[in-house]
Amino acid sequence: MDKQISIIGAGNIGLSIAKGLIRSGAYKPKEIILSRRNKEYLKKLAKEGFHVTENNANAVIFSKILIVCVGPQQLKSLLKSIEKHLTDNHLIISVVSGISIKEIKKQWVF
């Protein structure tokens, strides 16, 4: 579990990051939790060996490294839904366009 990483928003960018982590040898599919709302898409990803969830809070609870890959319009509601599960031990990496980690920290989470 120490190596577990979660990618919240496993669309094109999130899945590309996950596959890049696997190709680099840094992670195995079973060490990556992918979160997305589309159940059918998650079933496909589970067949590839990833841990999958529709519940973003579970992705946060079971990982210390979070890669946020949602659209900027989704970010505020996402952060509100996970903020009570975040700790000082979490590393948050954002690929959300137009919003810096500094803004995330200042405005929504901490």
Side-chain angles (χ1 to χ4, degrees), residues 48-86:
E48 294 181 35
F50 294 104
H51 286 254
V52 298
T53 183
E54 290 178 74
N55 186 327
N56 293 324
N58 283 342
V60 173
I61 291 166
F62 292 106
S63 297
K64 294 299 177 204
I65 301 171
L66 309 171
I67 301 176
V68 179
C69 302
V70 298
Q73 71 280 5
Q74 299 167 310
L75 184 62
K76 189 171 185 175
S77 64
L78 165 69
L79 292 173
K80 288 290 182 197
S81 73
I82 65 172
E83 69 183 340
K84 65 183 172 187
H85 303 287
L86 292 171

Side-chain angles (χ1 to χ4, degrees), residues 11-80:
N12 291 331
I13 293 172
L15 187 57
S16 292
I17 291 170
K19 289 184 175 185
L21 290 169
I22 293 164
R23 275 193 304 274
S24 75
Y27 286 87
K28 296 177 181 151
K30 66 181 180 181
E31 297 170 325
I32 300 174
I33 298 173
L34 299 177
S35 176
R36 187 174 166 134
R37 290 181 279 190
N38 183 312
K39 288 181 185 182
E40 292 304 313
Y41 189 73
L42 287 178
K43 286 179 188 177
K44 175 186 168 249
L45 296 175
K47 288 179 183 176
E48 294 181 35
F50 294 104
H51 286 254
V52 298
T53 183
E54 290 178 74
N55 186 327
N56 293 324
N58 283 342
V60 173
I61 291 166
F62 292 106
S63 297
K64 294 299 177 204
I65 301 171
L66 309 171
I67 301 176
V68 179
C69 302
V70 298
Q73 71 280 5
Q74 299 167 310
L75 184 62
K76 189 171 185 175
S77 64
L78 165 69
L79 292 173
K80 288 290 182 197

Side-chain angles (χ1 to χ4, degrees), residues 94-108:
S94 171
V95 297
V96 179
S97 64
I99 300 174
S100 69
I101 288 291
K102 184 176 181 180
E103 289 177 88
I104 291 171
K105 187 175 179 181
K106 180 176 137 188
Q107 294 181 16
W108 290 299

